[in-house]
Amino acid sequence: MTLQELVHQAASIYSDKIAVCFDECNDQSPIYYTYKTLVNTASELSDFLLLYCDFQEIREIGLYCHPGINLPSWILGILQVPAAYAPVDPDAPPALSTHFMKKCNLKYILVEKQQINKFKSSYETLLNYDTFTIEHNDLVLFRLYWKNVEESLMLNDRKEKYEKVTDSTSSENSKEEKSEEHLDVRLKHCLAYVLHTSGTTGIPKIVRVPHACIVPNIQHFRVLFEITQEDVLFLASPLTFDPSVVEIFVALSSGASLLIVPTSVKVLPSKLATVLFSHHRVTILQATPTLLRRFGSQLIKSTVLSASTSLRVLALGGEAFPSLTILKSWRELGNRTQIFNIYGITEVSSWATFYRIPEKVLNSTLKCELPVQLGFPLHGTVVEVRDTDGFMIQEGNGQVFLGGRNRVCFLDGEMTVPLGTMRATGDFVTVKNGEIFFLGRKDSQIKRHGKRLNIDLVQQVAEGLQQVESCAVTWYNQEKLILFLVSKKELVKDYIFKELEKHLPNHAIPDELVLIESLPFTSHGKIDFSELNKIYLNYTNLKFEYKLNGKEELWGKLQHLWKSILNLSEDSSKIPDESVFLNSGGDSLKSIRLLSEIEKLVGTSVPGLLEIILSSSILEIYNHILQTVFPDEDLITFSKNYVMKRKFNDVSQEETSGKSLHQKFVMPLNLDTEINAFIALSRGSQILAPNTTVFLTRFGHFPSACSSDLISQTNIQNVKTLNPSALIGKSKDSTCVAKVYEDGTPVIGAEKMELHVRWRSDTGKCVDASPLVVIPAIDKLSATVYIGSHSHKMMAVDLYSGKVNWEQILGDRIESSACVSKCGNFIVVGCYNGLIYVLKSNNGEKYWVFTTENAVKSSATVDPTTGLLYVGSHDQHAYALDIYVRIQ
């Protein structure tokens, strides 16, 4: 039995029933596919792939797309070829995805049309794909050619060794026995999908999953959850996380409906709750505890696990199960949702055990601190607990091993695997009276924010700080990472957090830092972690006893927390009211930390605050808190000036069309081998003039390289004092405004000036980056504005006419400002996909691309003396690059 056969059986019975619903969660109506449409769309794709794909060994096809209405059809279409689908996340770091595709030796990949430019830009330096690109509806098929064929050679070598072993077996009977004992990855109908592990504790492993391994999961969960055609299941997991397979195929093999929403909606708790439980009445939810916690205890109790919820089944897995005390506090009186603890590993995809929390336990008013057991094996799964010597145990502590005759996967380059292979999980448990309870990850490994973390690393980094005498780290209630410090001298917590952020990834930053006089020890001389947990509990209770003196103190404390968590300067300057957390250097993990600090500050939980932090300004965050803490206080509203900054109303129709208001003849820039003299003006009024002695002088005394349209550095303060009306030519006191002749020549000696919109250029989406203006010293060359936007566009626009000289589509949104090389021939800009692009300044052609491990949001800088390029990335590295030799 295969996954596609399960779907075909359901489609033959429920052909006219809704199979898939995609809701954009905006003003547009949801899109629906029936089972008939689902299968027909999949069959069309299968026919297309059979026509253009020629498989040699392992039958795999990559899928590069975002969630949408066609997603299940695309997966089904690949499976029907037959081939395994290998999902590639467009939002994942290109280096990780490249490692995955290269290690798979992937030859074909289907790319969603909307993601074509991003795909090409992200992998142009890492892939060699020829002109073989064929379109099919909303997809484009690429054939991939790899520069480094090491992985391919490795697979061929394994194949040759296997064939030699097979050839040496003389009898036909022996051959049959061998085929029965091993599963071969090259068999035509063997594989269902290919994934990779997270790699946070080492090199990511490739996991190839046979149909025979995953189908028992699907069949058992259909029975366990009592799925019917009336159920609605939510696709909560990304395709690169194997629980998504369970969500998709449990729904589509039962005649039920699968609900899909955009990834961006999943991080907005209140909106997601409304979509799931009010609009679509979801009945089955499989999720990680982290995803559930994002809703917040109040929203969980009032919506997800309310007495009237539509949710029949909640299955939590992928992380440590919440304590029963917390779980019971989340349920509203009268709630009847069945709650399951499910456990498994990617290497034996997907789930291995299940345990349904008894109704009497959930309804009990007695406090229960006992952990929840892992439960019972799923169909076809064998669960063993072994001691350090590898022997099975019936009582005591040991490591979990998972497998089963058909519950086996291929790891990395494995071509054959013996049936019944058992895999070590790295998870330690204790066995009591036949029940298995989770203790923790191997070598102090924990799973936090969906990523594995060795807490010893946090301790080692903290102990390395000069101010720290000793420290310990605890995973409090398997929810919070707490760092206890004994300091050598008085220290500031904010300083420690800043130091830790320099050395640790975001998911390793502690939730809390607690200062203590000395570490408690057990009688064996080890750190007493149970005592540390008591210390933290007392510390928390003391913090909640603090009361704010009023809304003024709240505003000041909020400003302090904002600066502290974002590592901003602790000066007396006020955070602008319109500042948005994510746009100011924040991210999802820092937002959770800010939420925690605010709730501790005010002494109570603030419903809906996380969503406000992620999407609103600091003033709106303050007002939201105010409504909870001081409900009788008046809210602060935005000033008129702030609104004017957002949008000017008196803009002509010609301006809004994006066309230039004053067109002039523009001579194109030439890329010469010689060094060009120029002046560059960039963010913060910085001036770079590496190859010329020309400098900006007082207003009205410009050199030939600098048009009189530009304001000198010394008069910038006059511009800053203008009110918004001056920007659109409506100064109330015209006598105080400098006049400008039609040819652009200013009147010398005026005290003030008036700014007019001369031209506008459409970048496609919002512009976060500051423009770079390059003014060549030679009169015949025109000054150029270089600017990037969220539309992935990098543009070169003539400063005087607004004419677009060139535009280049990069791999993702652009938030960093560009800089110019010492010679003036190249423009350098960082991109959100982790790439640094070096473009030719005259035509935008890509000269070369450098890959980092994460988003590049900061602006690059060129040393005017050495010509070296300096840039930082969110991968926590700073790079010094030589533009001209293309090396690091």
Side-chain angles (χ1 to χ4, degrees):
M1 182 66 71
T2 62
L3 292 175
Q4 61 267 29
E5 287 172 344
L6 291 176
V7 177
H8 290 159
Q9 287 178 356
S12 65
I13 303 172
Y14 307 106
S15 62
D16 294 326
K17 190 184 178 303
I18 292 173
V20 185
C21 171
F22 178 65
D23 193 343
E24 288 272 14
C25 306
N26 53 21
D27 296 335
Q28 299 179 1
S29 299
I31 307 172
Y32 298 93
Y33 271 9
T34 63
Y35 273 85
K36 183 178 181 180
T37 304
L38 168 74
V39 172
N40 289 343
T41 305
S43 298
E44 290 175 5
L45 178 59
S46 301
D47 293 340
F48 167 78
L49 293 173
L50 284 168
L51 187 61
Y52 293 105
C53 294
D54 179 23
F55 298 102
Q56 299 298 322
E57 288 189 355
I58 303 176
R59 305 170 69 89
E60 299 167 342
I61 298 175
L63 182 58
Y64 184 93
C65 66
H66 279 142
I69 187 65
N70 287 306
L71 180 59
S73 297
W74 292 342
I75 291 174
L76 188 60
I78 294 173
L79 292 174
Q80 289 175 173
V81 169
Y85 71 94
V88 179
D89 184 2
D91 297 326
L96 178 62
S97 297
T98 300
H99 173 84
F100 171 62
M101 291 188 287
K102 195 171 184 179
K103 204 166 183 179
C104 290
N105 200 24
L106 200 63
K107 292 184 178 179
Y108 298 99
I109 186 166
L110 287 166
V111 179
E112 189 177 9
K113 278 187 180 178
Q114 294 180 349
Q115 308 299 324
I116 283 292
N117 291 329
K118 185 173 185 177
F119 176 78
K120 288 182 177 179
S121 299
S122 297
Y123 304 106
E124 61 186 344
T125 61
L126 307 170
L127 303 178
N128 269 341
Y129 47 82
D130 61 2
T131 54
F132 180 85
T133 54
I134 307 295
E135 294 188 10
H136 173 75
N137 296 333
D138 294 327
L139 293 171
V140 177
L141 177 66
F142 283 78
R143 175 163 182 157
L144 308 178
Y145 292 92
W146 297 94
K147 295 178 182 178
N148 187 351
V149 295
E150 180 182 347
E151 283 75 16
S152 179
L153 292 175
M154 178 188 68
L155 290 176
N156 289 333
D157 180 58
R158 287 178 178 270
K159 177 186 176 185
E160 290 172 3
K161 290 179 181 178
Y162 172 70
E163 288 176 344
K164 287 178 182 177
V165 172
T166 305
D167 292 339
S168 66
T169 308
S170 56
S171 70
E172 189 69 22
N173 188 42
S174 295
K175 289 182 182 178
E176 290 177 2
E177 288 178 359
K178 186 167 187 67
S179 65
E180 289 175 359
E181 295 172 356
H182 290 76
L183 190 63
D184 194 321
V185 74
R186 293 161 295 189
L187 294 177
K188 186 175 181 180
H189 296 278
C190 177
L191 292 183
Y193 55 94
V194 187
L195 300 174
H196 61 80
T197 59
S198 62
T200 52
T201 58
I203 299 174
K205 287 183 287 188
I206 303 301
V207 182
R208 292 182 167 92
V209 184
H211 287 277
C213 181
I214 187 61
V215 166
N217 260 205
I218 307 301
Q219 293 172 325
H220 197 168
F221 278 122
R222 285 173 58 187
V223 175
L224 196 63
F225 297 159
E226 300 177 305
I227 307 294
T228 72
Q229 64 270 27
E230 302 302 323
D231 280 308
V232 179
L233 286 82
F234 174 51
L235 182 59
S237 308
L239 283 191
T240 50
F241 189 30
D242 52 344
S244 64
V245 183
V246 175
E247 292 160 354
I248 293 170
F249 288 96
V250 166
L252 300 183
S253 64
S254 308
S257 298
L258 180 71
L259 173 64
I260 304 175
V261 303
T263 305
S264 58
V265 177
K266 294 179 183 178
V267 299
L268 302 174
S270 62
K271 186 172 186 178
L272 181 61
T274 301
V275 170
L276 297 188
F277 305 108
S278 296
H279 296 171
H280 295 283
R281 305 291 293 170
V282 166
T283 60
I284 312 292
L285 176 61
Q286 173 192 255
T288 62
T290 294
L291 177 63
L292 183 65
R293 285 189 179 99
R294 282 181 181 173
F295 289 111
S297 58
Q298 192 165 28
L299 194 57
I300 293 175
K301 194 168 188 175
S302 65
T303 306
V304 184
L305 296 177
S306 68
S308 59
T309 183
S310 60
L311 193 64
R312 283 200 310 106
V313 173
L314 173 63
L316 297 177
E319 293 176 318
F321 196 82
S323 71
L324 286 173
T325 301
I326 292 175
L327 190 64
K328 289 192 288 186
S329 71
W330 286 343
R331 297 173 73 245
E332 187 179 52
L333 184 64
N335 173 261
R336 299 186 62 82
T337 302
Q338 300 174 32
I339 301 178
F340 289 82
N341 178 20
I342 51 178
Y343 165 79
I345 60 172
T346 302
E347 291 88 336
V348 187
S349 188
S350 166
W351 301 113
T353 67
F354 73 94
Y355 179 72
R356 179 181 172 183
I357 314 300
E359 196 72 24
K360 63 179 182 180
V361 173
L362 291 174
N363 292 329
S364 172
T365 57
L366 298 176
K367 189 175 182 180
C368 183
E369 298 298 339
L370 292 175
V372 175
Q373 61 172 292
L374 295 186
F376 311 99
L378 288 161
H379 284 335
T381 306
V382 175
V383 180
E384 295 179 357
V385 179
R386 301 179 185 177
D387 60 20
T388 53
D389 296 321
F391 295 106
M392 286 181 57
I393 60 173
Q394 302 300 323
E395 289 284 327
N397 297 345
Q399 184 182 179
V400 178
F401 283 73
L402 299 177
R405 177 171 176 80
N406 292 311
R407 297 279 283 126
V408 292
C409 300
F410 301 90
L411 304 187
D412 290 333
E414 293 177 343
M415 301 296 281
T416 62
V417 178
L419 296 177
T421 296
M422 301 294 291
R423 303 285 191 185
T425 64
D427 293 323
F428 282 87
V429 297
T430 186
V431 184
K432 294 180 181 179
N433 300 321
E435 297 178 346
I436 303 175
F437 297 91
F438 182 77
L439 292 178
R441 296 289 304 156
K442 183 180 180 180
D443 300 326
S444 301
Q445 294 286 337
I446 64 171
K447 247 185 180 179
R448 184 168 183 247
H449 302 305
K451 297 182 179 180
R452 289 182 180 179
L453 170 66
N454 188 333
I455 61 175
D456 290 339
L457 172 65
V458 182
Q459 182 172 331
Q460 291 169 8
V461 171
E463 286 177 340
L465 302 179
Q466 291 182 349
Q467 295 81 359
V468 177
E469 180 70 40
S470 58
C471 67
V473 180
T474 64
W475 186 224
Y476 184 78
N477 284 346
Q478 296 186 341
E479 291 180 350
K480 287 187 175 182
L481 193 65
I482 312 300
L483 173 62
F484 295 87
L485 285 180
V486 179
S487 62
K488 296 177 181 177
K489 56 183 179 180
E490 186 175 351
L491 52 77
V492 180
K493 290 185 180 181
D494 292 344
Y495 171 79
I496 295 296
F497 273 117
K498 289 178 182 178
E499 289 299 306
L500 292 175
E501 287 175 351
K502 292 178 182 178
H503 306 286
L504 294 171
N506 284 341
H507 68 276
I509 302 299
D511 296 296
E512 277 279 355
L513 192 158
V514 180
L515 299 177
I516 55 178
E517 292 186 2
S518 62
L519 290 174
F521 293 94
T522 66
S523 58
H524 290 175
K526 298 180 180 180
I527 296 175
D528 191 340
F529 287 100
S530 62
E531 188 63 29
L532 283 177
N533 287 336
K534 293 177 184 178
I535 292 172
Y536 176 71
L537 184 60
N538 293 333
Y539 168 82
T540 303
N541 292 335
L542 286 174
K543 289 196 74 172
F544 277 125
E545 289 176 3
Y546 173 78
K547 298 295 182 182
L548 288 168
N549 293 325
K551 63 180 183 179
E552 292 78 11
E553 186 181 5
L554 171 62
W555 179 243
K557 294 285 187 182
L558 179 60
Q559 295 256 333
H560 169 75
L561 289 175
W562 187 280
K563 292 178 181 179
S564 172
I565 291 172
L566 294 179
N567 287 334
L568 302 178
S569 175
E570 286 290 344
D571 53 26
S572 58
S573 62
K574 174 177 168 289
I575 302 294
D577 293 351
E578 65 270 27
S579 297
V580 177
F581 191 75
L582 293 182
N583 294 343
S584 303
D587 55 35
S588 57
L589 296 183
K590 288 182 179 179
S591 68
I592 294 173
R593 185 176 151 203
L594 179 61
L595 169 67
S596 175
E597 291 294 336
I598 290 173
E599 291 188 337
K600 284 168 189 165
L601 173 66
V602 300
T604 183
S605 62
V606 184
L609 181 57
L610 181 59
E611 188 168 349
I612 297 295
I613 291 173
L614 289 169
S615 60
S616 305
S617 69
I618 186 172
L619 184 56
E620 291 168 308
I621 294 171
Y622 169 73
N623 283 333
H624 186 81
I625 302 169
L626 208 60
Q627 289 177 313
T628 300
V629 184
F630 303 105
D632 297 328
E633 296 282 358
D634 294 331
L635 302 182
I636 298 176
T637 57
F638 291 111
S639 65
K640 183 178 179 181
N641 286 341
Y642 168 66
V643 179
M644 290 296 291
K645 288 179 185 176
R646 288 294 182 93
K647 182 178 181 181
F648 295 137
N649 295 321
D650 301 329
V651 180
S652 68
Q653 186 65 33
E654 183 182 14
E655 292 169 350
T656 57
S657 68
K659 297 179 180 178
S660 169
L661 300 184
H662 302 281
Q663 295 292 341
K664 289 184 179 180
F665 171 76
V666 180
M667 183 172 289
L669 294 172
N670 296 316
L671 181 62
D672 301 321
T673 56
E674 62 186 18
I675 295 177
N676 298 317
F678 65 92
I679 295 174
L681 295 92
S682 59
R683 191 172 189 171
S685 304
Q686 298 178 42
I687 301 175
L688 175 67
N691 308 310
T692 179
T693 57
V694 179
F695 296 96
L696 294 177
T697 57
R698 295 288 299 176
F699 183 56
H701 300 278
F702 291 93
S704 60
C706 203
S707 166
S708 54
D709 288 305
L710 297 176
I711 309 168
S712 74
Q713 189 76 359
T714 55
N715 277 310
I716 288 177
Q717 65 271 21
N718 287 340
V719 179
K720 291 181 179 178
T721 60
L722 293 177
N723 60 39
S725 62
L727 298 177
I728 51 176
K730 290 193 175 181
S731 175
K732 295 180 180 179
D733 185 3
S734 59
T735 61
C736 296
V737 177
K739 296 180 179 179
V740 181
Y741 293 131
E742 290 184 0
D743 63 358
T745 305
V747 176
I748 307 302
E751 293 298 323
K752 291 188 178 180
M753 61 175 295
E754 181 179 24
L755 299 180
H756 291 269
V757 177
R758 184 160 186 173
W759 52 262
R760 294 165 62 90
S761 187
D762 185 12
T763 63
K765 282 189 177 180
C766 62
V767 177
D768 281 351
S770 300
L772 166 71
V773 180
V774 177
I775 311 156
I778 305 173
D779 286 338
K780 68 178 183 179
L781 297 178
S782 62
T784 306
V785 180
Y786 299 93
I787 187 67
S789 78
H790 277 219
S791 67
H792 306 190
K793 283 184 185 178
M794 186 67 199
M795 300 172 62
V797 185
D798 186 87
L799 176 64
Y800 309 115
S801 67
K803 180 181 177 181
V804 177
N805 294 335
W806 55 259
E807 67 179 40
Q808 177 68 262
I809 303 295
L810 303 186
D812 207 330
R813 67 179 185 265
I814 303 166
E815 295 188 3
S816 67
S817 301
C819 70
V820 61
S821 64
K822 180 182 177 182
C823 65
N825 292 332
F826 303 107
I827 299 299
V828 184
V829 65
C831 192
Y832 210 82
N833 62 358
L835 300 184
I836 300 168
Y837 293 84
V838 179
L839 311 175
K840 293 182 180 179
S841 58
N842 67 330
N843 58 14
E845 181 181 335
K846 295 173 187 174
Y847 183 61
W848 64 276
V849 180
F850 180 81
T851 304
T852 72
E853 297 295 329
N854 210 323
V856 179
K857 299 171 70 175
S858 60
S859 302
T861 302
V862 170
D863 187 321
T865 304
T866 64
L868 286 177
L869 171 72
Y870 297 97
V871 66
S873 165
H874 272 221
D875 63 6
Q876 300 184 346
H877 288 84
Y879 299 89
L881 308 174
D882 189 327
I883 297 174
Y884 306 102
V885 296
R886 308 191 191 189
I887 63 172
Q888 184 174 346

